[in-house]
Amino acid sequence: MKSLNDFPRVELGFFPTPIRRLNNISRILGTNVYIKRDDLSGLGLGGNKIRKLEFLLADALAQGAEVVFTTGGAQSNHAMLTAASCCKLGLEPILILMDRGVTEKKGNLLLESLMGTEVRFQDTDSYREIYAEMDRVGTELGRPYYKIPCGGSNALGTLGYVACAEEISRQEKDAGLSFRHIICAEGSGGTMAGMALGAKLFLPEARVHGMMVSEDPFDQITLDLMQGAADLLEADVAINADNYDLREMWGPGYAISSEEGAAAVTMMAENEGIFLDPVYTGKAFAGLIAMAREGAFAPDDNVLFIHTGGAGGLFAVEM
Ligand SMILES: *Cc1c(COP(=O)(O)O)cnc(C)c1O
């Protein structure tokens, strides 16, 4: 098997991100709840996409790209963090965003305007059309360009969360801890798939739970991304659906606040002074609360919640 160090990587974030015990939440839920602060990953307002972008933008640079395209909804955290990363690396970001959600200059769109990022909207529900538009614009510009898919979720981006699992395994050793359960949001899939593959490789005691925040076919998406990342690593592991659990947490739909999600945001803020967002981390944490209430965790279990960020969108979403 290859090592993660065999893949070129640009340094964008502050790693390792801290892990802390949530004492008040642990008391309320009757188990040991820890949080991994990937919202403090350094660039922009932090978030999970930085780990993927360290691999993806190294690849862009290796290919001689000058322009980087990516996409997402109007308030995409991934698009904002791609733009921030490009600013740091001297690449030119062009965001072709779906004309969906809050399109006023608020939240992530405000941050993009502060960075002088070129943002174009396309009125479509098809990412295929958006990727075709990237090729059209890139060809028209006549400069070398690189396309990053929605959420940075391809096999290479998924390595970012395999690396996160390896980082957690080192933090476990340093702290003399072992995590039984790891919980994260699943939005485009790379975080959860990387974590599930990474757990197989580096955290054999841990069970990974993906909290689905949209109705995409995550069974297949997760398996494909895990297999793609395992192939890149030449890892000899059997990938199947027994490697992880998925839970439906989208509520009324992607990017629409749910009652449980809003309650989870409030619970975290009131008890720990930490802010979650209603689109991803609030719904994911609501899944953790639901599991605790169903008795999925023993009192002496160590449960790790991955705070994947989302602060940029918090100021643009109705809640
Ligand atoms: C993108 C995102 C996620 C979901 O991660 P995926 O790898 O796309 O599944 C979770 N939380 C936040 C804040 C995000 O921006």
Side-chain angles (χ1 to χ4, degrees):
M1 184 184 135
K2 286 190 182 175
S3 150
L4 287 160
N5 295 328
D6 295 331
F7 294 83
R9 212 155 150 181
V10 285
E11 197 180 309
L12 294 172
F14 301 159
F15 299 118
T17 56
I19 293 180
R20 289 291 181 274
R21 188 173 187 275
L22 299 174
N23 291 332
N24 297 324
I25 299 266
S26 294
R27 202 174 312 117
I28 295 167
L29 297 182
T31 188
N32 301 296
V33 183
Y34 288 78
I35 190 165
K36 183 158 177 64
R37 299 295 304 271
D38 270 14
D39 59 318
L40 304 180
S41 60
L43 215 55
L45 298 182
N48 60 341
K49 303 310 180 313
I50 300 293
R51 290 188 188 272
K52 304 177 183 186
L53 289 163
E54 288 201 338
F55 288 95
L56 293 165
L57 292 176
D59 189 40
L61 289 170
Q63 293 190 21
E66 293 174 11
V67 174
V68 172
F69 289 102
T70 198
T71 185
Q75 287 295 332
S76 166
N77 301 308
H78 162 72
M80 185 276 286
L81 289 171
T82 301
S85 303
C86 285
C87 288
K88 183 174 157 72
L89 297 173
L91 293 161
E92 185 184 332
I94 300 180
L95 309 180
I96 303 189
L97 304 180
M98 262 185 196
D99 199 357
R100 303 285 182 270
V102 178
T103 56
E104 299 136 70
K105 206 165 97 183
K106 282 190 191 173
N108 283 309
L109 284 168
L110 171 63
L111 302 178
E112 283 148 16
S113 90
L114 296 180
M115 295 185 283
T117 307
E118 182 174 341
V119 178
R120 303 179 179 211
F121 286 106
Q122 195 157 338
D123 184 14
T124 176
D125 287 316
S126 151
Y127 279 118
R128 224 162 30 88
E129 277 176 32
I130 287 188
Y131 299 132
E133 177 68 5
M134 290 175 184
D135 285 323
R136 197 190 63 73
V137 175
T139 309
E140 194 178 274
L141 285 173
R143 294 165 66 197
Y145 64 91
Y146 188 85
K147 292 184 289 179
I148 296 180
C150 160
S153 285
N154 56 17
L156 188 61
T158 297
L159 291 186
Y161 270 82
V162 178
C164 181
E166 191 183 39
E167 182 178 298
I168 293 168
S169 77
R170 286 193 298 270
Q171 290 176 303
E172 277 191 335
K173 279 193 200 86
D174 290 346
L177 269 174
S178 173
F179 294 109
R180 277 284 288 133
H181 299 277
I182 297 179
I183 282 112
C184 63
E186 178 145 21
S188 64
T191 299
M192 155 69 183
M195 195 59 83
L197 176 61
K200 257 180 110 78
L201 298 171
F202 306 113
L203 300 163
E205 307 292 312
R207 183 92 191 146
V208 178
H209 307 267
M211 301 298 172
M212 299 182 283
V213 303
S214 84
E215 294 176 68
D216 291 335
F218 285 115
D219 270 321
Q220 199 55 47
I221 291 169
T222 308
L223 289 176
D224 289 348
L225 289 171
M226 281 178 81
Q227 190 63 57
D231 290 347
L232 285 178
L233 286 164
E234 296 170 12
D236 187 17
V237 287
I239 306 294
N240 57 62
D242 298 336
N243 297 147
Y244 53 83
D245 294 311
L246 296 175
R247 188 181 178 108
E248 297 179 4
M249 292 305 302
W250 55 76
Y254 174 68
I256 306 167
S257 175
S258 71
E259 217 169 286
E260 308 96 290
V265 172
T266 307
M267 182 179 183
M268 184 69 91
E270 287 181 348
N271 290 287
E272 303 287 350
I274 294 172
F275 297 112
L276 302 175
D277 76 293
V279 180
Y280 296 98
T281 52
K283 287 178 178 178
F285 192 63
L288 186 154
I289 296 170
M291 288 179 69
R293 303 241 149 102
E294 289 161 8
F297 310 133
D300 60 351
D301 275 351
N302 294 318
V303 178
L304 183 63
F305 178 70
I306 313 292
H307 190 335
T308 44
L314 190 55
F315 299 98
V317 190
E318 296 288 335
M319 227 174 81

